[in-house]
Amino acid sequence: MSEGGGRAGDAGAAARPGLERALERACTWLAIAGGFVMLAFTAVAVLSIASRTLFGSPLVGDFELTERGTAIAVFAMIPYCHLRGGHVVIDMFVGMMPPATRRVLAIAAEALFAIVAGLMTWRLALGGIQQRQFNDMSMMLQIPTWWMFAPIVVSTALLTLVCVARALRGGRTIA
């Protein structure tokens, strides 16, 4: 259902409105940050395996760090993925419909996704606030749980904006 676009920096980028360019930049930088987070926690896993192999003892709390880091990294990459139309789409029946119907369905899907992403943002924000109020900590390292909610809430809020922008563009990708 997506109609491909160019890459950042091409002639199409200059023609896009400023808000779309800002949204594209925010998604790109958040995805890059997510990649660095994933690399960091991959290094933690490798160090833990090496420590277990060489010294007979893994790094304490490596699973806690990897679990939290992976969640943050994945959520950081979702807005970029959706911005570029990278989600899996199964359109066996939609592909046979007239273009006007496909466009209406694409807009409806984006609007529905925006609602779901907005609800996720709201509930994750409330969950993070509750974790802070209850002073919830990880078991091994005693790391406060609430801090991981902050980047995830930012990611889902950005995803909501991407869904709204795509709905306003008729269901097409932004970049």
Side-chain angles (χ1 to χ4, degrees):
M1 278 208 214
S2 67
E3 297 173 15
R7 294 195 169 149
D10 67 5
R16 286 195 304 275
L19 288 176
E20 285 184 4
R21 281 195 313 268
L23 192 59
E24 181 180 8
R25 283 188 191 117
C27 289
T28 300
W29 284 107
L30 190 62
I32 290 169
F36 280 116
V37 168
M38 187 62 78
L39 284 173
F41 288 106
T42 300
V44 167
V46 169
L47 288 173
S48 182
I49 292 167
S51 177
R52 182 179 300 126
T53 303
L54 298 173
F55 308 114
S57 176
L59 296 178
V60 176
D62 63 334
F63 285 100
E64 290 177 358
L65 292 174
T66 303
E67 174 184 72
R68 283 160 173 72
T70 302
I72 291 168
V74 167
F75 272 94
M77 294 174 193
I78 290 174
Y80 181 83
C81 178
H82 192 60
L83 180 87
R84 299 286 186 179
H87 288 121
V88 173
V89 177
I90 301 172
D91 59 358
M92 259 176 15
F93 301 109
V94 175
M96 294 184 275
M97 296 181 179
T101 304
R102 286 189 300 217
R103 185 176 172 104
V104 168
L105 289 173
I107 293 168
E110 293 297 336
L112 184 60
F113 195 6
I115 291 168
V116 169
L119 288 171
M120 286 174 40
T121 302
W122 169 55
R123 295 308 302 174
L124 283 165
L126 289 179
I129 291 168
Q130 285 181 341
Q131 294 296 320
R132 188 162 194 265
Q133 288 172 342
F134 297 140
N135 199 29
D136 189 53
M137 304 277 207
S138 66
M139 188 176 293
M140 300 292 290
L141 298 176
Q142 295 296 300
I143 299 171
T145 304
W146 69 268
W147 68 266
M148 73 176 276
F149 280 80
I152 291 174
V153 168
V154 169
S155 297
T156 55
L158 189 58
L159 175 62
T160 304
L161 293 175
V162 168
C163 292
V164 169
R166 282 184 52 140
L168 293 174
R169 290 189 101 232
R172 293 187 315 265
T173 60
I174 292 180

